Amino acid sequence: FLFLVFFNTNAFCNDADSLRQLLNTTLPDTSRVNALNAFSKTFNNTNPDSTVKIAMAARDLAEKIHFKNGLALAYKNMGIGFYLQGKWVNAIKNWQLALDVYQAMGNKAGVANMLSNQGSVYYQNGDDAKALELYLHSLKLSEEIGDPTRIATALNNVGSVYQNKPATYKKAEEYFLKAYPICIQVKDNYLIGTATSNLGEINFNLGDYTKSLFYLKQSVEAYKGSEDLPYPLNLTGRVYTKQKEYDKAIKIHQEAYEYSKKLDTRLDMTQSLIGLAQAYQAKGDYVVAINTYKQAVENGMELRAVKELKAAYEGLSESYKAKSDYYNGYNFQNLLLKIKDTIYSIDQDKKLAGLDFKFQFEKKESEMAMQSEEIKRQKLVRNSFIGGFAIVLLFAGVFFLQRNKISKGKKRSDELLLNILPAETAEELKATGTAKAKSFDMVSVLFTDFKNFTQASEKLTPEELVAEINHCYSEFDRIITKYGIEKIKTIGDSYMCAGGLPITNDTHPVDVVSAGLEMVEFIEMEKQKRQENGQPFFELRLGIHTGPVVAGIVGIKKFAYDIWGDTVNTASRMESSGEIGKVNISGSTYELVKEKFNCTHRGKIEAKNKGMIDMYFAGHL
C-alpha cells in the first residue's frame, strides 16, 4: 500500500534532491517515466537545458513501454524547456507531438493545454492572428469539458491578444473580467495573478492608473515567490512612470530585473530593462536610457521578441532625437517601422475579426451559408433557362481575351515569389497555402559583417551609402548563385546565406567556403579602388559553421524564408570572432573541407555564450 501511494503519479514531490534519490532506486518503468518528468520540471527556472535532456530520457522510456500519458507529458516538458531557451520552433514541434498523443487518447484537457502553449509562442512572436486561432480553439474545448482552470486560462489568453491594439482594449477587458471570478473561485494563485495583472495592464492602457494599481497589488501578492513576479512588478513600474514618480518606477523595475536575473528568465529581463529605460527617458536621463535600451535590444534579438524590440526601438529613436542626434534617431525609426509592419498588418486585423466572428457565431454562419448556396443554385437554374446560350458565348469571349493576361500575370507573380522564396518552398506554398518547417541534419551557414560600416556611413550621403551596400550585396548574390547557395536575409550591414538547403547536397561546405573566399577578395578589390579615389571603404569579417538547422517561412505577410538553431548562433560567433579579410571557419566545417583548402589552426578561441571553440582561417591551396 505504501509503495503504491508513494509512486502514484500525483504523489511525486517536486523537490529535486528527493527525485534524484528516487531515480537511483529500482522503479517500475511507468513510475520511472513519471519521476523523470517530475524531475525535468524542477529545472525550468534554473537550467532549461536540463529540463529538455531529462524530458528526452522520459520520452525514450515512455516510447519503449508504450506509456502514452508519460509520453505526452515528456513532449510537453521538452517544449517548455525549449520555450524557456527561446527556441520557438522546437517548442512548437514538441507541443504538437504532445497534442497528437493527447488526441489519440481522447484527452481534451491535454489538447486544450497544448493549443494554449503553442498560442503563446505565436503571441510572443507577434503573430496575433495565429495565436488567437489557437487560444479560441483551446477555449472551445475547455468549455466542452467544463474545466474552470483551462477556461480561465483561455479567457486570459484571448484577452491578451485583443489587448495588443487600442481599438480592441474594451474587448480585452471583457475577456479578462470573465476570467477574474473563475480564477478567484478555483483559488489558484497563478490564475489569480494572471487575471489581476491582465486587468492591471488593460486599465493602465485605458488610463485608469488608480484601478490599475489596485489590481497589480493583488497580482504581486499572488505571484510572490514565483517566477511570474517580474511581470506585475514591471507593470507597476510603468504606472509610476506615467504618474511621474520616476524614482519609484526605477526602484521597482530594478527589483524586477534582479529577480529575473536570478531566475535567468531572459524575456522578463528584457521587459525590466525596457521599463527602466522608459523611466530614465521620462526623467530626462537620456544617456542611461539609451544604454539600457541597447541592453534590452541585445536580449530581444536573441529571443526574437518583436514586441519588446518595438518598444526599445521607439525609445531609442525618441531618446536620440531628444539629444539632437538625428542620424541615430532616424536609423532606429526605420527599425521601428519594420517591426510595426510585422506586428500590425491589415491582413492580421481582418483575420482577427474573422476568427472571433467564427467562434461566436459558427452555427448561424453555417446556416446562412447553406441558405445562400440554395439561393445561388435557384438563380443559376433560372438564368440558365433564360439566357444560357448567350452566357456561354459571352463567357467564351471573355475567357479568350483574358487568358493571355492571366498567363502573363501568373508568370510575373511566380518570378516574384521565386525571388523571395526557394523554389521548393514556393511550390509547396502555392499548392497548400502553407509551408512546413523542415529539419536539415547538415547545413553550412555563412555570416558577413562590414567592420568599419559606421565610419564609412558618416562620410557618405544616405543615397551613396545605400548604393554602395547594394553594389556589394548584388555581387554577393551573384557569387552564391554560382555556388548554388541559398540567400537567407540581410540585416543592416550583415549578410547571411546557407548551403545544403532547401535541397540537400554533399558539396555545401566546400561551396560555402569557396563563396566566402570570393566575397573577401571582392571587398578587398573594392577597398583598393576606393582608397585610390580617396573614398570611404568597407572591410569584411566573415564566419562559417556547419551543423543542423530548422528552416521555414516566418509570418503571414511579406513571407521570409529563415533558419533557426544553434548552428546559426555559432556561425554568427565565427563572424564576430574572425579577422578582417579572413574566412574564419569552425572545427566542424574544417573537418569537411580540410582537403580542399589551406587551413591555419587558430587554436581554441573564446566565443560569446559558446565557450572555447576550435577556429581556422581558410585559404586557397
Side-chain angles (χ1 to χ4, degrees), residues 143-173:
E143 288 177 340
E144 286 177 5
I145 60 177
D147 186 331
T149 298
R150 303 225 176 276
I151 291 171
T153 300
L155 287 168
N156 276 317
N157 288 338
V158 173
S160 296
V161 177
Y162 284 119
Q163 190 172 228
N164 284 336
K165 293 183 176 63
T168 53
Y169 281 166
K170 284 296 182 182
K171 198 165 189 64
E173 187 181 26

Side-chain angles (χ1 to χ4, degrees), residues 191-262:
L191 287 177
I192 293 170
T194 301
T196 50
S197 63
N198 285 338
L199 284 164
E201 184 169 10
I202 198 63
N203 280 284
F204 169 81
N205 292 336
L206 291 168
D208 191 337
Y209 302 133
T210 302
K211 192 183 288 186
S212 177
L213 287 174
F214 168 77
Y215 284 117
L216 289 174
K217 184 178 180 181
Q218 295 181 56
S219 184
V220 169
E221 188 63 32
Y223 279 154
K224 193 170 288 183
S226 78
E227 67 271 19
D228 302 295
L229 181 60
Y231 192 70
L233 287 175
N234 281 320
L235 281 172
T236 304
R238 290 169 62 194
V239 175
Y240 286 138
T241 297
K242 283 290 185 181
Q243 294 180 324
K244 298 183 180 180
E245 298 186 58
Y246 303 126
D247 291 337
K248 275 188 178 181
I250 289 168
K251 181 181 178 182
I252 202 162
H253 282 306
Q254 190 64 49
E255 181 185 344
Y257 178 74
E258 295 300 330
Y259 193 90
S260 307
K261 195 174 180 181
K262 286 180 183 178

